[in-house]
C-alpha cells in the first residue's frame, strides 16, 4: 500500500486503548488487520443501500415513466451502473449527491466505533448480554431517525440511521443468533424489547473454556438448544461473571477469564474473531437485516421522501438565490427572475430539472422569510413577488441571509447572491465560512458595484448615497467565494442579465470542474493547462476580475484570442468584469489558456461528466477499532493524515484508473503529490499525505483511460490547515422545556497560546459557554461547556445548528465545528401497532388435504396503533388468503396478498382506524401480518382459526364476544381521548 512503517506502528499501538469490538468499521480495518476477506460495517451498509435502491428503481417510475428491469443487477454492481440503467445510457446523470448521502450514513455508522461516548457502551453493540436494552435502544434511535426525516432534517436522519445500522449489524456478529442455527434475520429485533426472545439469566453459564485462537462449540449446547440469547463480554466494563462468554480477540482482556476464549464473528481473522468461520453467515444476515430496516423506513416515510430526501436520488441540482431587495436592486431582481425562468423552461419535465428551489430575500434590518419549495412555478411566483423598495445606509444583512440559505440548502449545492452593498453583519464571517466548508457548498456573488470606486455608490430609489466607502468593503465576499470555489463578479445594472448566464452554467446536472485558478497579482502572460477527455462534454470557461487579454490553445497548437468572439475553437462573450468561453467540439488532449491580467482574476473551467469525486481527510482511529476516522472541520497539522476519495461514474469493469492527487496552491502551483491506492470498495481510493501544505490548497485528481487519455477533475474549494482541533464526543438530543449541556474538546498541536471561543446557533437555544477564552499548551486538550435551553413550544424534529469557532487570539489559526441538534420527544411513541381479531365465519371442519381448497374461512380485523401515531404500512408475511382493508366511511379500500410486498398506507388517506377482512381457503389456517406505524414501530398480527365443526351456538357466541371486544376497544379509545 505504500504506507509508512511509522504510521502502521503508531496505529497498532493505538489499538491498545480499550473499547468494544464490532464488525470492522471500514476498508482501512482490513488493511491494518490483514483480514482482507472480511465484511465491514462500511461494505455491509453500502451493499444494503445499493440493494434497496435497486429494488425501488424496479417499482418506481422515473420522470420518463421507466422502471428498472428486474432481471438486471443480480450480482455486484456500482451506483453509476445502477443509475445509468435506470435513467438511460444517453442521460448524463451523476451519482455524486447519492454517494454523498450514502457517505454520511456510512461515516455515522463507523463513528460508533471511534467516539469515546459510544465505542464502549455495551447497549450500542449488543455486548455483555445487554440484548433487551440494546433492542430498546434501537427502537429509540429509529424513532429519532423517522422524526428527523419527517421534520426536514435529512442530515440528522442519516446520522441516526447510521448509528442504528451499526448496532443492528453488531447483533449478528456479537450474539449467538448464528450459532443457534438461524439463517434468517430476527424479525422483531426493532419491535418490543420484551419480544426479542429469552436471554440467558445472569447466573447461568453460557460458555466453556477455549484455549485456542479458533473456538469451536464453546457455547454450551443447552444454551443454543433452548434458544437462549447470549453475547460476549468485552474487557471489564461491565465485569464478566464466571462462566459467561467473552467477546474474544487479541485485545479483549476478558478472554483470559472463565470462560476463556470468545464468540465474536467480526472478521475472518482468527486473531480478532474466535468464531471467524461464521463471519460470512453473520455478515449476510447483517446485510439482509439492514435491507429490512431500510424497507421499514421507506414504508414509514414514503418512497418519495426515502429516495429524494434521505438518499438524494434525483437531487442533482438546486436553485438557491439570496437577493438584496432594497430600492436600487430592480435590475438584479429582474435578472434573477428571468434567469430562473429560463432554467426552469429548459429543464422542466426532464431528469435535469432542479429538485429544490431556495430563496432568501434580505432588506436591512429584515432577513427572510426563507422560501423553500420543489414547485418551479411557485418559485417563479415568489421571485415575481419581490419588490425593490426602500433602503437605507449602504451596509446590509447579507451574511445573515446567506447563512440562512446555507442551512437550508443541501450539501454540494451552488448558491448565488445578488447585492450591491457590503455586509453589515461582518461578525458572522467565521460562522458562514464554517458552514460553507461543512456543506462543501459553492457561493458566487454577483455585485453591481465596482469596488474601486470610493467616491460614492450607485444611487437608486432605495440606496442612500454615501460620499466615502472603503475600497475593500467587498473583501468578505471575495474571501468567502474563494474559500468555496465560487466567483465574485462585479457587473453593472445594464449587463447583470447577461452575466447571470453563469447561473445556468453552474447548475447543470453532472457538473464537474477541470481547472480552478485564483491569482491575486498582475501578470503579463501566465499559462494554465487543463485536459479534455472523452468522458466530458459542454466545456465552459469563466474568467472574472481584472482581465486584459487571453488566448486559448487546443492540443494541436491552434489558438483563438479574446477579441475574436467566434472562431473554430470557441464562442467568447465578455462583459464588465466577466468573460464566458464556450468550447466548440473540443478535441481530447492538453489545452492551454494564456492570460494577461492587471489585478485579481479567477478562472473556472467547467464541464459535464459522470466521472467526478468526493473526498475527505481522515486519521487513524485512536482506539481498539482499526479504521480511519473522518476529520470534521479543517485538517490538523502534526497528525498522520490520509486523503480518502470516492470516485463516481465508474463501473465494476471500468477502464479508468486514477494514480494520484495533487494539492494545488491558489495560483495552480503544485504543493504536494499524493499517490493513490485503490481499495476493494468500488471507486474508493486512499493516499497518505506526507506533508499538509501550510498555505491554502485545493485538490486535483489525475488518472487515465484505456486509450491513454489523461483524466483530471478538480475540487475548487480551498482547504486550510489548522493546529487547533475541535472534537465533540457526543451530541445530546434536545427536549422541549429542558436544559442540555454540550462539551467540546479543544486540542492544540502548536505552541502554547490563547484561543477565543465563539458559539452561535440559528434557533437561539445557546444561552452561554464557558470559558470563552482559554490558554491551551502544546499537545494538550481543554474543554468548553455549552449550555442550551430548548423552549417548551419547540417543534419536535426541528434542528438547532450550533457553530463553534476557535480562533487564536493573534488570529494566526482558526478551526470550526458545526453541530446539528434535534428536538426530540421526551416520551416518544415506542408502542408497536397491533390488531384485534373478531368473529371467524364459516370455520373449517376437519377436511382432507384434497377437499380443503373447497372450503373457506374469514375473520374481521381491527388494526390500531397503541401509541396513536397511526398505521403506516403492513405486509402479509404468512398465509395464502386475501386481506381487504377499509378505513373511515367514504375512504377507498385496498387489498393485500402474500408476495405483494409492503403496502404503504401513509399516502392512501385511510383515516384514523383501519378495518380489514381476511379470507382464505381451509388449506391455510393461519396468517401473520407485519405492521408499522408512522413513528416507525413494528408489530406482529397473528391470525389463527382452529379446525372445528360449524355450530350455530359457537358461531353466535363468537359474534357476541367479538362485538363486546370491539365495543371495549372503542370505549377505551374515547376515554383515552378525554384524558388526553
Amino acid at each position: 500500500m505504500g504506507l509508512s512503517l511509522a504510521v502502521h506502528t503508531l496505529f497498532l499501538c493505538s489499538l491498545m486503548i480499550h473499547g468494544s469490538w464490532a464488525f470492522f468499521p471500514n476498508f482501512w480495518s482490513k488493511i491494518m488487520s490483514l483480514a482482507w476477506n472480511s465484511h465491514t460495517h462500511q461494505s455491509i451498509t453500502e451493499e444494503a443501500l445499493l440493494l434497496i435502491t435497486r429494488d425501488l428503481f424496479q417499482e418506481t417510475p422515473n420522470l420518463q415513466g421507466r422502471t428498472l428491469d428486474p432481471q438486471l443487477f443480480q450480482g455486484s454492481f456500482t451506483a453509476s451502473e445502477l443509475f445509468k440503467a435506470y435513467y438511460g445510457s444517453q442521460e448524463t446523470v451523476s451519482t455524486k449527491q447519492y454517494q454523498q448521502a450514502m457517505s454520511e450514513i456510512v461515516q455515522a455508522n463507523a463513528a460508533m466505533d471511534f467516539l469515546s461516548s459510544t465505542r464502549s457502551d455495551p447497549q450500542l453493540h449488543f455486548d455483555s448480554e445487554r440484548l433487551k436494552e440494546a433492542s430498546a435502544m434501537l427502537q429509540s434511535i429509529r424513532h429519532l431517525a423517522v422524526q428527523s426525516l419527517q421534520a426536514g432534517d435529512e442530515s440528522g436522519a442519516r446520522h441516526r440511521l447510521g448509528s442504528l445500522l451499526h448496532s443492528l449489524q453488531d447483533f449478528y456478529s456479537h450474539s449467538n443468533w448464528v450459532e443457534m442455527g438461524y439463517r434468517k434475520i430476527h424479525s422483531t429485533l426493532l419491535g418490543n424489547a420484551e419480544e426479542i426472545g429469552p436471554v440467558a439469566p445472569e447466573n447461568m453459564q453460557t460458555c466453556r473454556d477455549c484455549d485456542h485462537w479458533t473456538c469451536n462449540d464453546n457455547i454450551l449446547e443447552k444454551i443454543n438448544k433452548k434458544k437462549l440469547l447470549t453475547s460476549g463480554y468485552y474487557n471489564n466494563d461491565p465485569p464478566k461473571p464466571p462462566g459467561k462468554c467473552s467477546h474474544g480477540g487479541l485485545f479483549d482482556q476478558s478472554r483470559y477469564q472463565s470462560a476463556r476464549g470468545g464468540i465474536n464473528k467480526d472478521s475472518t481473522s482468527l486473531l480478532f474473531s474466535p468464531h471467524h468461520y461464521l463471519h460470512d453467515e453473520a455478515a449476510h444476515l447483517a446485510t439482509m437485516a439492514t435491507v429490512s430496516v431500510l424497507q421499514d423506513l421507506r414504508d414509514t416515510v414514503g418512497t418519495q421522501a426515502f429516495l429524494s430526501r434521505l438518499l438524494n436520488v434525483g437531487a442533482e441540482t438546486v436553485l438557491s438565490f439570496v437577493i438584496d431587495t432594497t430600492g436600487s436592486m430592480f435590475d438584479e431582481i429582474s435578472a434573477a427572475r428571468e434567469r430562473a425562468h429560463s432554467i426552469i423552461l429548459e429543464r422542466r419535465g426532464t431528469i435535469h430539472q432542479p429538485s429544490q428551489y431556495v430563496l432568501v430575500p434580505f432588506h436591512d434590518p429584515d432577513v427572510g422569510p426563507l422560501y423553500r419549495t420543489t414547485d418551479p412555478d411557485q418559485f417563479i411566483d415568489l421571485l415575481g413577488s419581490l419588490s425593490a423598495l426602500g433602503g437605507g445606509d449602504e451596509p446590509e444583512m447579507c451574511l445573515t441571509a446567506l447563512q440562512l440559505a446555507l442551512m437550508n440548502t443541501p450539501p454540494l449545492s451552488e448558491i448565488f447572491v445578488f447585492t450591491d452593498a457590503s455586509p453589515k453583519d461582518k461578525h458572522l464571517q467565521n460562522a458562514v465560512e464554517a458552514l460553507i466548508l461543512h456543506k462543501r457548498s459553492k457561493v458566487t456573488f454577483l455585485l453591481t458595484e465596482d469596488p474601486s470606486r470610493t467616491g460614492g455608490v450607485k444611487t437608486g430609489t432605495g440606496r442612500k448615497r454615501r460620499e466615502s466607502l472603503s475600497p475593500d468593503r467587498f473583501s468578505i465576499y471575495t474571501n468567502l467565494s474563494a474559500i468555496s470555489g465560487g466567483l465574485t463578479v462585479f457587473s453593472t445594472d445594464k449587463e447583470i442579465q447577461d452575466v447571470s448566464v453563469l447561473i445556468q452554467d453552474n447548475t447543470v446536472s453532472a457538473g464537474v470542474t477541470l481547472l480552478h485558478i485564483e491569482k491575486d497579482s498582475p501578470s503579463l502572460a501566465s499559462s494554465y493547462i487543463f485536459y479534455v477527455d472523452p468522458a466530458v462534454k459542454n466545456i465552459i470557461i469563466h474568467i472574472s476580475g481584472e482581465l486584459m487579454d487571453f488566448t486559448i490553445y487546443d492540443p494541436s497548437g491552434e489558438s483563438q484570442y479574446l477579441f475574436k468572439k467566434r472562431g473554430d475553437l470557441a464562442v467568447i462573450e465578455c462583459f464588465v468584469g466577466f468573460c464566458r468561453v464556450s468550447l466548440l467540439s473540443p478535441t481530447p488532449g492538453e489545452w492551454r489558456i494564456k492570460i494577461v491580467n492587471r489585478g485579481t482574476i479567477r478562472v473556472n473551467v467547467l464541464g459535464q461528466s459522470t466521472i467526478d469525486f468526493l473526498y475527505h481527510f481522515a486519521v487513524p482511529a485512536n482506539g481498539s477499532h482499526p479504521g480511519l476516522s473522518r476529520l470534521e472541520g479543517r485538517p490538523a497539522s502534526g497528525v498522520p493524515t490520509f486523503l480518502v476519495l470516492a470516485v463516481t461514474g465508474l463501473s465494476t469493469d471500468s477502464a479508468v484508473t486514477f494514480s494520484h492527487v495533487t494539492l494545488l496552491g491558489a495560483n495552480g502551483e503544485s504543493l504536494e503529490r499524493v499517490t493513490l491506492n485503490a481499495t476493494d470498495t468500488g471507486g474508493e481510493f486512499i493516499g497518505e499525505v506526507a506533508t499538509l501544505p501550510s498555505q491554502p490548497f485545493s485538490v486535483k485528481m489525475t488518472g487515465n483511460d484505456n486509450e491513454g487519455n489523461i483524466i483530471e477533475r478538480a475540487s475548487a474549494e480551498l482547504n486550510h490547515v489548522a493546529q487547533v482541533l475541535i472534537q465533540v464526543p457526543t451530541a445530546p438530543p434536545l427536549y422541549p422545556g429542558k436544559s442540555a449541556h454540550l462539551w467540546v474538546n479543544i486540542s492544540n498541536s502548536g505552541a502554547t497560546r490563547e484561543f477565543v471561543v465563539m458559539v452561535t446557533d440559528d434557533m437561539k437555544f445557546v444561552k452561554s459557554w464557558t470559558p470563552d477564552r482559554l490558554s491551551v499548551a502544546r499537545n494538550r486538550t481543554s474543554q468548553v461547556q455549552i449550555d442550551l435551553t430548548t423552549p417548551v413550544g419547540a417543534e419536535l424534529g426541528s434542528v438547532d445548528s450550533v457553530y463553534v469557532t476557535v480562533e487564536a487570539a493573534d488570529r494566526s489559526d482558526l478551526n470550526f465545528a458545526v453541530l446539528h441538534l434535534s428536538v426530540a420527544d421526551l416520551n416518544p411513541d415506542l408502542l408497536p401497532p397491533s390488531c384485534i381479531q373478531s368473529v371467524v365465519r364459516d370455520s373449517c371442519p376437519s377436511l382432507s388435504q384434497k377437499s380443503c381448497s373447497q372450503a373457506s374461512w374469514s375473520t374481521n380485523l381491527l388494526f390500531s396503533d397503541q401509541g396513536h401515531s397511526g398505521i403506516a404500512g403492513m405486509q402479509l408475511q404468512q398465509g395464502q388468503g386475501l386481506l381487504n382493508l377499509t378505513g373511515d366511511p367514504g375512504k377507498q379500500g385496498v387489498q393485500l396478498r402474500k408476495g405483494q410486498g409492503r403496502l404503504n398506507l401513509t399516502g392512501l388517506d385511510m383515516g384514523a382506524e383501519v378495518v380489514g377482512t381476511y379470507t382464505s381457503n381451509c388449506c391455510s389456517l393461519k396468517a401473520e401480518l407485519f405492521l408499522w406505524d408512522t413513528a416507525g414501530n413494528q408489530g406482529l398480527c397473528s391470525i389463527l382459526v382452529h379446525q372445528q365443526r360449524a355450530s350455530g351456538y359457537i358461531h353466535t357466541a363468537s359474534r357476541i364476544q367479538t362485538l363486546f371486544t370491539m365495543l371495549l376497544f372503542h370505549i377505551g379509545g374515547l376515554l383515552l381521548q378525554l384524558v388526553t
Side-chain angles (χ1 to χ4, degrees), residues 527-546:
S527 290
Y528 306 100
I529 292 172
F530 63 93
Y531 289 90
V532 174
D533 61 80
V536 68
K537 63 181 182 180
N538 299 333
I539 297 174
I540 303 291
I541 303 173
H542 291 165
I543 307 174
S544 68
E546 300 175 81

Side-chain angles (χ1 to χ4, degrees), residues 180-392:
M180 286 194 291
Y182 289 115
R183 292 301 180 265
K184 61 180 181 180
I185 66 173
H186 195 307
S187 61
T188 59
L189 194 60
L190 272 75
N192 190 328
E194 296 304 317
E195 297 179 2
I196 189 176
V199 178
E202 187 175 353
N203 59 355
M204 178 181 286
Q205 181 180 351
T206 54
C207 272
R208 62 172 60 92
D209 285 340
C210 168
D211 295 317
H212 306 284
W213 288 110
T214 298
C215 292
N216 290 294
D217 301 323
N218 58 326
I219 300 177
L220 298 183
E221 289 82 358
K222 67 176 183 180
I223 300 298
N224 290 334
K225 186 176 181 180
K226 293 181 178 179
K227 304 299 183 185
L228 296 178
L229 284 167
T230 186
S231 63
Y233 286 72
Y234 189 86
N235 285 329
N236 294 303
D237 186 18
K240 185 179 83 166
K244 289 296 184 181
C245 303
S246 285
H247 182 89
L250 191 60
F251 300 115
D252 177 15
Q253 298 304 309
S254 78
R255 67 189 172 94
Y256 297 111
Q257 304 168 15
S258 174
R260 296 187 295 274
I263 65 170
N264 89 74
K265 299 163 282 294
D266 291 338
S267 72
T268 56
S269 169
L270 57 85
L271 294 178
F272 297 103
S273 301
H275 283 199
H276 58 87
Y277 51 89
L278 293 174
H279 171 76
D280 286 340
E281 287 87 343
H284 173 71
L285 290 180
T287 304
M288 294 302 99
T290 302
V291 171
S292 178
V293 167
L294 294 172
Q295 289 171 335
D296 295 346
L297 183 58
R298 185 280 304 264
D299 292 334
T300 302
V301 302
T303 300
Q304 184 62 30
F306 184 87
L307 281 176
S308 63
R309 290 171 49 206
L310 183 70
L311 298 186
N312 278 344
V313 173
E316 279 201 84
T317 61
V318 173
L319 211 53
S320 186
F321 289 171
V322 177
I323 302 180
D324 182 348
T325 59
T326 45
S328 56
M329 292 292 294
F330 176 83
D331 293 307
E332 292 85 341
I333 294 172
S334 298
R337 182 168 54 246
E338 292 304 315
R339 187 57 59 186
H341 191 255
S342 173
I343 292 172
I344 288 169
L345 286 180
E346 178 185 288
R347 305 175 192 174
R348 185 190 293 272
T350 73
I351 62 175
H352 306 296
Q353 69 181 20
S355 61
Q356 192 176 141
Y357 303 87
V358 177
L359 173 63
V360 182
F362 65 97
H363 181 138
D364 185 31
D366 299 321
V367 173
L370 164 78
Y371 300 103
R372 185 168 58 173
T373 180
T374 57
D375 183 348
D377 294 321
Q378 183 183 13
F379 186 64
I380 291 297
D381 290 342
L382 289 170
L383 287 170
S385 69
L386 296 182
S387 299
L389 298 174

Side-chain angles (χ1 to χ4, degrees), residues 133-152:
E133 296 89 340
S135 177
M137 183 71 73
L138 284 184
Q139 194 179 11
S140 177
I141 297 173
R142 179 179 60 181
H143 177 80
L144 290 173
V146 170
Q147 200 172 65
S148 294
L149 190 60
Q150 290 174 337

Side-chain angles (χ1 to χ4, degrees), residues 900-921:
Q900 184 176 326
R902 289 164 172 79
L903 177 64
N904 184 18
L905 300 180
T906 53
L908 298 180
D909 192 23
M910 297 286 292
E913 294 182 348
V914 179
V915 179
T917 301
Y918 181 78
T919 304
S920 173
N921 64 40

Side-chain angles (χ1 to χ4, degrees), residues 472-486:
D472 63 349
R473 63 190 180 277
F474 295 118
S475 61
I476 289 180
Y477 298 156
T478 57
N479 290 338
L480 290 175
S481 65
I483 287 169
S484 74

